[in-house]
Amino acid sequence: MRTYIGGQEAVSVNEFIELALGTPVELWLGVERESSEERAARLDAARDILAEYPDLPDDVSRVAAEVIEANAPELFNVAPLVRRPAGRRRTHSRKGAAA
């Protein structure tokens, strides 16, 4: 399955997130071993973006929910649960078990 956002193909989950957000995912999550100065600069940039686009968190949540709903089995390698009909549960008695 191919996924396109704004005419660009997302070939990985990270690329999909980056295209959907319009920013690199590292801006929001950080990177390993970032210095305190790098972290401060990253957080400043994130605050600036959120100030300019206050609806961004809601938009991202909506897009993520839509993608998950439409593609959950492919994205997360999950299978739907098989539910058994309601009824009496079998109980197992253990003969000779100490009380």
Side-chain angles (χ1 to χ4, degrees):
M1 179 180 95
R2 293 181 179 199
T3 303
Y4 291 89
I5 297 176
Q8 291 186 288
E9 183 180 5
V11 295
S12 69
V13 172
N14 283 346
E15 193 168 293
F16 172 85
I17 294 168
E18 186 172 329
L19 289 170
L21 288 174
T23 61
V25 70
E26 293 82 10
L27 174 68
W28 307 102
L29 302 179
V31 294
E32 279 189 52
R33 299 184 181 120
E34 71 181 350
S35 69
S36 57
E37 293 84 13
E38 290 170 325
R39 183 176 192 273
R42 178 177 58 79
L43 294 176
D44 283 344
R47 275 190 286 276
D48 290 345
I49 290 169
L50 290 174
E52 191 170 336
Y53 302 100
D55 293 334
L56 182 63
D58 292 336
D59 293 344
V60 169
S61 297
R62 181 183 45 75
V63 168
E66 290 172 0
V67 168
I68 290 168
E69 183 176 52
N71 301 292
E74 293 87 6
L75 289 175
F76 300 103
N77 195 23
V78 296
L81 290 175
V82 176
R83 300 204 179 258
R84 295 189 176 144
R88 284 184 33 187
R89 293 182 182 217
R90 288 183 22 184
T91 59
H92 298 288
S93 62
R94 294 173 38 191
K95 292 185 180 182

